[in-house]
Amino acid sequence: MTEKIMIISSLLAALALAAPASAARLARPDADALLLRALSAPATGYRAVERVQVFEPGRKPRALRLTRVASADGGVRLEIPAGRAKKASPLVYARRAGRASLLWPARSRYWDGPLQEEAPERSLRRLRAFYEVSVSTGGQVAKRKTWRADLRDARGRLRRSLWTDRASGILLKSESYRLDGALERRRRVSRLEAAAPEAAEFAPSAPAGVRATEWTAPEFPDPKSRRPESSAKDRLPRWVPDRFLLVDLRLSADGSRIHADYSDGASNYALTEEDAARPFAPKGARVVARDGAASLTLVEDAGRLSMAAVFGSRRYLVSGDLQEDEMARVLESVPGAP
Amino acid sequence: MNERDDERLTDYLEGRLDAEARALLEARLGGDAALARRLRLLRALRTSLSAAVPPAPAGLKADLRRLARARDAEAARPWWADLREALSGRSWAYGAGAAFAAAGVALVLRAHLPERPSVSPPPPTEIVEARSDAGAQTLQDLWSEDDGEDHDHL
């Protein structure tokens, strides 16, 4: 009898000791710590298979499948199948240490050049400037338990949700939403495995006979252009979201205005640079930040978002399929930005 | 948007508008996504035509416009009747045929060109134009239709 009591007492003691540990495991992490981990390079390299889906009103969803390789020193490599033919060489996008390259074998094109990088702490500050964050349990993604972070704008609208691996902190899934709440884009990892990628994977070289092109050269340059785009390239943003390409670039006759279109094939955005003295009073505009001669204005019109920044005598306007923090980062990377 | 708009856009692309008319049109382009898309299409058409067809005989453009108007007015008559007539026994017939073919190619390419976001600022006078390479893979080709479901399986 005494022996049974001792056994039961031991079990109860063990349960009592285990309970706090279990509660600690389930405790929701701090929102900023969670985001910072997701924005930072992973602790160890990995290789992931993922799908990006785009949802447009009145149109069937479209998807892009890709392989992502990431290294502990911040290297990222995306391989996107170039078509249904299995032997077709994939489109390869890679960035590491402030340099990005894109190799597109199907078009015999290769882009390479500097890309503005930033510390994850700065990305976090920008996110927190636009969104309130709440954390909850997120179910399983790629057979891993996740935390879910919901990002809401100043009006309380859900703009983005992020699912991060509880163990590694890696971002496994994200969804972005339109201003009306409809799903706009989803990225989801379906398979994730540890890897030790070589540094060369993050710096693909141009194939023989393919000339390297700067990021600031448009995808469809006009060889007969009377005014080469070189006069505009030094005025373009130094940061472009992953996979996006400059597809069209136009200048006004006097060179004072630039209009640049960027696309990843499914999402598009445009940037205009012009004299700040030009009339600018769109509906739904509100100034969200002001610092001396610099100001940031958010414009919501007909369910679409755009953002304008005035830096000294120049105004930059970005509009299209980007979220608030992405638009702000594009504008912050303009050469004239403070 | 009507035929007059097309003519105005064409004049705009060819630099034949005076400063006031150009400013008015640019203001309209800023608020009219359909008009901006039409400008994009016409620009692609022009580029495609200039790249694919030898120099057209003088007056060809006017003839093509007349053909288009006649086709609109004579809706009961099939469009290929006009085209056949246009292509028969004229010295510039082969050029016109090539122009129509190139326009067709450009229309197909148009479906692959990324659309400008609907909320976009007024585009400035174009100097550097988009050029589409016939047959080449586009960014849109990287995407395919999807079931839209949210699951781990690809």
Side-chain angles (χ1 to χ4, degrees):
Chain A
M1 183 67 180
T2 309
E3 191 177 340
K4 280 183 182 173
I5 289 172
M6 284 184 67
I7 290 172
I8 291 170
S9 300
S10 302
L11 283 173
L12 286 172
L15 276 174
L17 285 171
S22 175
R25 275 200 300 273
L26 286 173
R28 290 173 191 171
D30 173 70
D32 284 354
L34 185 85
L35 291 177
L36 192 58
R37 228 176 145 197
L39 292 166
S40 303
T44 56
Y46 70 84
R47 192 175 300 272
V49 178
E50 63 186 53
R51 174 167 65 166
V52 181
Q53 297 164 293
V54 170
F55 302 83
E56 293 174 78
R59 189 170 179 177
K60 280 190 174 180
R62 283 180 291 164
L64 182 82
R65 287 144 177 87
L66 59 89
T67 303
R68 178 185 297 265
V69 181
S71 65
D73 63 358
V76 171
R77 176 188 172 100
L78 309 177
E79 285 187 17
I80 303 169
R84 291 188 175 86
K86 287 185 178 176
K87 287 183 181 173
S89 300
L91 181 147
V92 176
Y93 170 86
R95 61 176 162 82
R96 180 173 173 265
R99 196 160 191 90
S101 311
L102 192 145
L103 175 60
W104 194 353
R107 289 186 71 101
S108 298
R109 299 292 301 275
Y110 175 77
W111 288 262
D112 179 62
L115 189 77
Q116 191 176 82
E117 286 196 328
E118 66 179 17
E121 289 79 5
R122 180 169 179 175
S123 305
L124 175 63
R125 278 200 301 274
R126 191 184 298 108
L127 272 178
R128 299 299 267 129
F130 286 105
Y131 309 115
E132 283 298 317
V133 186
S134 60
V135 177
S136 60
T137 53
Q140 287 208 346
V141 179
K143 299 177 182 173
R144 292 159 187 266
K145 287 184 179 176
T146 65
W147 294 115
R148 172 178 175 161
D150 286 335
L151 281 61
R152 295 178 188 277
D153 68 10
R155 298 182 181 180
R157 294 172 297 196
L158 182 60
R159 300 286 291 135
R160 205 180 316 175
S161 294
L162 308 172
W163 285 259
T164 63
D165 183 5
R166 289 190 199 180
S168 66
I170 294 170
L171 182 63
L172 295 178
K173 177 181 162 185
S174 63
E175 289 183 348
S176 56
Y177 309 96
R178 300 179 194 283
L179 293 175
D180 65 4
L183 179 61
E184 180 178 46
R185 197 176 185 90
R186 177 189 294 130
R187 176 193 150 220
R188 179 173 183 137
V189 171
S190 61
R191 199 167 66 233
L192 181 73
E193 58 192 33
E198 300 285 332
E201 287 193 61
F202 305 106
S205 53
V210 176
R211 191 171 58 88
T213 306
E214 290 185 57
W215 281 106
T216 46
E219 159 59 357
F220 301 118
D222 182 354
K224 298 194 294 291
S225 170
R226 285 169 287 158
R227 188 184 295 270
E229 62 272 11
S230 57
S231 59
K233 69 178 187 182
D234 295 334
R235 292 149 66 180
L236 294 174
R238 295 291 185 260
W239 181 76
V240 176
D242 286 356
R243 298 194 323 271
F244 276 82
L245 268 177
L246 175 63
V247 293
D248 196 2
L249 174 62
R250 281 161 284 148
L251 283 79
S252 60
D254 61 1
S256 66
R257 295 171 74 199
I258 296 174
H259 184 91
D261 287 329
Y262 295 81
S263 176
D264 72 348
S267 301
N268 311 298
Y269 71 93
L271 176 99
T272 294
E273 184 218 309
E274 62 182 15
D275 192 331
R278 284 180 70 93
F280 180 74
K283 283 192 299 182
R286 59 192 166 97
V287 176
V288 292
R290 193 183 292 282
D291 180 15
S295 71
L296 197 63
T297 304
L298 201 58
V299 183
E300 283 185 38
D301 185 22
R304 305 282 291 180
L305 192 72
S306 53
M307 191 178 288
V310 173
F311 302 137
S313 63
R314 309 300 295 168
R315 177 186 299 113
Y316 300 86
L317 179 64
V318 60
S319 59
D321 305 322
L322 295 181
Q323 296 249 311
E324 290 89 339
D325 60 306
E326 294 170 314
M327 288 183 174
R329 187 168 177 186
V330 168
L331 292 170
E332 285 174 23
S333 74
V334 163
Chain B
M1 204 167 57
N2 51 38
E3 188 180 329
R4 188 179 163 78
D5 283 336
D6 267 7
E7 289 182 7
R8 186 147 290 240
L9 289 170
T10 304
D11 290 343
Y12 174 72
L13 287 170
E14 293 176 354
R16 286 194 270 114
L17 290 183
D18 59 33
E20 188 182 354
R22 193 170 64 200
L24 277 172
L25 183 61
E26 287 183 350
R28 272 191 67 198
L29 284 166
D32 187 339
L35 194 66
R37 276 198 297 275
R38 186 69 186 159
L39 175 66
R40 236 179 135 70
L41 171 61
L42 289 173
R43 184 184 295 124
L45 277 169
R46 287 180 67 239
T47 311
S48 177
L49 285 169
S50 64
V53 182
L60 172 61
K61 191 181 292 181
D63 287 333
L64 289 172
R65 278 185 183 167
R66 271 197 295 276
L67 278 174
R69 286 197 189 105
R71 196 174 65 220
D72 289 344
E74 203 176 344
R77 192 178 179 194
W79 64 269
W80 57 81
D82 281 322
L83 181 61
R84 192 163 45 212
E85 184 183 313
L87 292 176
S88 62
R90 303 278 179 97
S91 59
W92 46 267
Y94 294 105
F100 273 111
V105 169
L107 280 168
V108 171
L109 285 171
R110 163 76 183 105
H112 293 281
L113 284 173
E115 286 192 5
R116 178 169 303 152
S118 64
V119 177
S120 67
T125 307
E126 43 76 44
I127 295 294
V128 181
E129 292 183 342
R131 177 171 62 87
S132 47
D133 297 334
Q137 187 180 57
T138 68
L139 287 171
Q140 290 192 334
D141 293 336
L142 301 172
W143 296 79
S144 56
E145 282 193 355
D146 187 72
D147 59 11
E149 296 295 320
D150 181 20
H151 49 64
D152 278 352
H153 308 293
L154 289 180

